[in-house]
Amino acid sequence: MQEALPYKTWTSSYSSHEGTSSTSAMKAPTKEDELKKMVSQNAVIVFGKRGCCMIHVVTRLLHGQGVNPAVYEIDEKDENDVVGQLKKLDAGKDDELQLPAVFIGGQLFGGLDRIMATHISGELIPVLKQARALWL
Amino acid sequence: MNSPSTPYITSRNMEIYDTSRNIGIYEPMHQMSMWADIKSNGFLNTPTSMLVEVDTKLDNQSEDTSHETLGHSNKYDQETNKPVDKVLRRLAQNREAARKSRLRKKAYVQQLESSRSKLLQLEQELERTRQQGALIGVGLDAIPPGFSGPINSGICAFDLAYGSWVEEQDRLVDNLKTAIYTYTDEELCILVDVVMNHYSDLFRMKATSAKADVFYLMSGMWKTSAERLFLWIGGFRPSELLKVLLPHLDLLEQEHAEVCNLKQSCQQTEDALSQGMDKLQQTLSDALAAGQLGEGSYFPQISNAMERLDALVSFVNQQADHIRQVTLQQMARILDTRQTAQGLLVLGEYCQRLRALSLLWETRPREPT
């Protein structure tokens, strides 16, 4: 059962626990598990580089639609690692995973251009509704 | 040239001819040919003062031995003198031609010299600009004030290609004007496809030249001045163009609602991207201002900033063009062929008017400073 979680930002860190939510208390054994959990537990989650302005674009757009996406900021040193993990999560696609990357309903939806294109064509909202990210 | 040569005597001959026309002393035909000679040699332009001078000289024949024979000719029949006249006249013509030729040569050489110095000047300027371009990578204070303009060939190529694109666009818009009323639906569909592909060409061109210099694209300097007023991330705002279109389209209620929705989605997407752009500016500003300002050493900050900047700006520009293209495609999907054609026509003409306005403004009569 997926619940609409309040807006949170998880920082990617193995050692320090800077996350303010209760879920950060759950110490995932591996990075992969941690990511898997995040993707499945959040209707919408945005993965992006720390300090990247483009995450802002995606979240702004989603907020405008009444969606509260989770945001996972990736440190530069972990970037390749995390991207690799995320690609594994998205079975069947060999394309380069570009950051920022958006997962909707546990599935990799795409990057900024896909989000924008589907919003303009009107396809985004039904997808969000189906993933229960939107209620109205 | 003061050679009292045959022509003056010949003009005297004319006088004599005129007065003795009825007497028939001279051969009229021969006289006419001499008259033709004068005309062709331009000796009619000789100032009258010279004529007078020569006349007085002739009257004082005894002083001038070289013209003795000529002097005699005044008293006698002119016909015996003609071969000598001819020779003297030819010499004079040659002198005149040679003089003119020398003057022409002088003028040509002067022109060559000035062109050469101008070329040297241009080459120097080009070299200077190249050096300035190389200096940008070194540090901000190395850029002299007033430096502007694209210096790489990728941008020049884009400017040329864009010029051709506009020409072709004007042609297509003209086609649409008549096609709306005369073409069948199938023919119109083909034309609409052509116009849509033409827009795709533009986006492709922009993408290619963005690799050469994305800042040039963002500056909008490749557009006319009136178009630049509406500049949003390297081009038009799609939602604004939709606003222009809407009143000119003949739409059913549902279609109208769909286009309004499109306009709204467009606006929201644009706003999101604009905010991203603002954040980018903020990040850049922070990077540049890091460390002590006013102390001078800024190399690390500059290289750090530039590294990120180009990639990010390219990304933003790419996304903006993506929005434009998707909006255009969605519009074509919502509307039927005829409505799309109408929409493309309105769009095309709107841009034409903007360009015409710019041209009018640029060529306005200015007050002398």
Side-chain angles (χ1 to χ4, degrees):
Chain A
M1 195 61 162
Q2 290 171 352
E3 38 178 349
L5 294 164
Y7 181 54
K8 275 189 194 89
T9 308
W10 279 272
T11 58
S12 69
S13 52
Y14 286 98
S15 47
S16 63
H17 295 284
E18 284 165 330
T20 51
S21 77
S22 53
T23 53
S24 67
M26 288 188 273
K27 289 178 198 167
T30 63
K31 188 64 151 193
E32 204 179 320
D33 289 341
E34 185 188 342
L35 290 174
K36 225 183 258 179
K37 193 169 284 179
M38 296 241 219
V39 165
S40 59
Q41 281 187 344
N42 292 291
V44 184
I45 179 161
V46 182
F47 291 89
K49 287 183 257 197
R50 185 184 301 283
C52 175
C53 344
M54 295 302 118
I55 300 181
H56 203 72
V57 179
V58 179
T59 52
R60 178 79 182 83
L61 194 56
L62 291 171
H63 284 168
Q65 303 310 304
V67 178
N68 272 329
V71 177
Y72 188 101
E73 284 181 328
I74 307 170
D75 281 327
E76 211 169 313
K77 56 179 168 63
D78 298 329
E79 192 183 325
N80 291 331
D81 210 21
V82 176
V83 169
Q85 308 280 0
L86 290 174
K87 273 173 85 166
K88 268 192 247 167
L89 288 175
D90 176 53
K93 283 207 195 119
D94 283 325
D95 305 326
E96 272 303 307
L97 189 131
Q98 266 212 335
L99 294 177
V102 184
F103 282 75
I104 300 181
Q107 298 273 353
L108 174 64
F109 186 73
L112 179 59
D113 45 359
R114 179 125 198 257
I115 291 276
M116 292 198 307
T118 48
H119 180 56
I120 290 174
S121 64
E123 294 163 21
L124 183 62
I125 298 209
V127 170
L128 288 172
K129 279 190 183 160
Q130 203 179 24
R132 302 210 198 280
L134 262 183
W135 300 104
L136 295 165
Chain B
M1 190 178 76
N2 274 326
S3 52
S5 54
T6 333
Y8 308 113
I9 301 167
T10 322
S11 24
R12 284 200 69 182
N13 287 345
M14 296 313 295
E15 273 178 72
I16 300 164
Y17 172 69
D18 279 340
T19 54
S20 58
R21 204 188 325 220
N22 299 323
I23 302 170
I25 297 175
Y26 308 108
E27 272 180 22
M29 290 311 293
H30 192 62
Q31 204 63 32
M32 291 300 256
S33 65
M34 281 160 83
W35 176 250
D37 277 345
I38 296 171
K39 276 182 94 172
S40 62
N41 292 327
F43 288 117
L44 285 170
N45 296 327
T46 327
T48 45
S49 56
M50 288 178 86
L51 277 169
V52 171
E53 183 194 9
V54 169
D55 280 351
T56 52
K57 266 197 181 158
L58 284 170
D59 288 337
N60 307 322
Q61 311 152 10
S62 50
E63 296 170 54
D64 198 345
T65 50
S66 63
H67 297 278
E68 227 172 38
T69 43
L70 298 172
H72 283 300
S73 73
N74 282 327
K75 298 172 185 165
Y76 305 113
D77 198 327
Q78 296 293 318
E79 285 176 34
T80 58
N81 217 22
K82 280 171 189 101
V84 186
D85 285 356
K86 255 200 190 135
V87 165
L88 287 172
R89 194 174 70 242
R90 198 146 294 147
L91 287 174
Q93 285 170 13
N94 283 347
R95 268 194 293 275
E96 188 61 31
R99 193 174 76 95
K100 282 187 179 168
S101 172
R102 278 193 296 273
L103 285 173
R104 275 200 303 271
K105 184 178 176 184
K106 196 174 174 196
Y108 179 63
V109 168
Q110 269 176 354
Q111 197 189 36
L112 278 180
E113 293 275 314
S114 70
S115 300
R116 186 171 163 273
S117 67
K118 206 176 169 192
L119 183 66
L120 277 171
Q121 211 181 349
L122 281 170
E123 278 180 7
Q124 276 172 6
E125 223 179 284
L126 191 66
E127 192 56 49
R128 225 180 299 137
T129 324
R130 275 215 196 94
Q131 283 170 6
Q132 285 170 2
L135 282 171
I136 288 177
V138 176
L140 275 176
D141 65 352
I143 302 174
F147 169 71
S148 67
I151 50 170
N152 64 52
S153 59
I155 291 305
C156 297
F158 176 74
D159 274 338
L160 278 171
Y162 181 65
S164 309
W165 188 89
V166 170
E167 273 175 28
E168 178 66 17
Q169 179 72 356
D170 286 342
R171 208 183 58 81
L172 288 171
V173 170
D174 281 339
N175 272 4
L176 276 171
K177 275 192 198 131
T178 51
I180 297 241
Y181 302 109
T182 57
Y183 280 21
T184 62
D185 275 1
E186 290 83 29
E187 289 169 327
L188 203 56
C189 193
I190 296 172
L191 181 57
V192 163
D193 276 343
V194 170
V195 179
M196 294 291 282
N197 285 335
H198 196 234
Y199 276 112
S200 301
D201 287 343
L202 177 63
F203 292 120
R204 237 193 315 273
M205 271 164 48
K206 285 179 78 181
T208 314
S209 69
K211 296 193 189 100
D213 188 351
V214 69
F215 301 106
Y216 179 66
L217 278 184
M218 296 283 282
S219 74
M221 288 311 291
W222 48 283
K223 287 188 165 230
T224 61
S225 38
E227 289 174 302
R228 256 177 268 146
L229 224 58
F230 298 94
L231 196 71
W232 176 78
I233 311 189
F236 282 110
R237 238 183 220 273
S239 61
E240 259 188 37
L241 291 179
L242 283 174
K243 242 183 264 179
V244 168
L245 273 188
L246 216 45
H248 294 95
L249 294 172
D250 190 20
L251 300 173
L252 299 170
E253 202 175 300
Q254 202 221 335
E255 289 163 335
H256 193 270
E258 281 185 358
V259 176
C260 284
N261 274 346
L262 174 63
K263 188 181 66 150
Q264 196 178 35
S265 313
C266 224
Q267 225 155 358
Q268 289 163 348
T269 319
E270 289 163 18
D271 287 343
L273 195 60
S274 296
Q275 292 223 346
M277 190 65 189
D278 288 344
K279 189 108 200 300
L280 196 157
Q281 285 174 346
Q282 189 63 49
T283 314
L284 175 63
S285 179
D286 290 343
L288 284 175
Q292 300 267 25
L293 272 173
E295 287 211 346
S297 167
Y298 42 66
F299 287 111
Q301 284 88 331
I302 296 295
S303 62
N304 192 27
M306 285 310 283
E307 209 182 299
R308 280 194 273 164
L309 187 62
D310 196 85
L312 280 174
V313 174
S314 296
F315 187 70
V316 173
N317 189 59
Q318 188 188 8
Q319 296 306 318
D321 274 351
H322 186 62
I323 297 177
R324 290 180 187 111
Q325 198 152 22
V326 168
T327 307
L328 198 61
Q329 286 162 355
Q330 183 65 11
M331 186 194 83
R333 232 175 278 143
I334 297 176
L335 305 173
D336 68 28
T337 310
R338 211 151 278 274
Q339 289 163 334
T340 310
Q342 183 70 26
L344 290 171
L345 174 59
V346 171
L347 210 59
E349 213 181 294
Y350 178 71
C351 295
Q352 276 179 338
R353 288 188 189 182
L354 274 174
R355 286 193 285 268
L357 178 63
S358 304
L359 188 62
L360 210 65
W361 178 248
E362 273 162 38
T363 54
R364 72 190 187 283
R366 289 160 211 254
E367 282 174 17
T369 45

